[in-house]
Amino acid sequence: MSVSALPDPQLSWSEHRPGRDITVLAIEGELDLATAPQAEALLLPRLTGTGPLVLDLSGLTFLGAAGLNLLLRARLLATRQGIELRLVARSRAVLRVLELAREAGWPPVVAYPEVADALADAA
């Protein structure tokens, strides 16, 4: 009997600034226990500015419990810092986890279907 190892988790990201003081951070791949530390290192330092941060999760193929925990901690930190954090998500894999968390009594997370929608609301 042979046991094959799981492939290394993949997480990629990009950042752009569509306007003054607005940052869009796009994360793609799987956000789970293996990749949450990398995502945390990308996300949390960006919650120290003054402008809105749009977190584009539309490229995520999986959102695990560690990823959800990171999103909720980021939202809490953003609130404490007075920063608007806008999430963009449209995949069933991500929206279902956010829905289940809300049903379990976690604070609701608003997810915009498109970056343009989140930018319009952040302006």
Side-chain angles (χ1 to χ4, degrees), residues 25 38-47 53 55 70-71 74 85:
L25 177 64
Q38 180 185 2
E40 180 176 353
L42 293 168
L43 177 57
L44 296 188
R46 287 164 175 82
L47 293 174
L53 175 64
L55 183 58
L70 173 60
L71 295 179
L85 177 63

Side-chain angles (χ1 to χ4, degrees), residues 84-99:
E84 291 183 68
L85 177 63
R86 306 288 179 173
L87 297 183
V88 176
R90 60 178 169 254
S91 75
R92 179 88 174 126
V94 174
L95 293 173
R96 181 68 177 142
V97 172
L98 296 176
E99 177 185 324

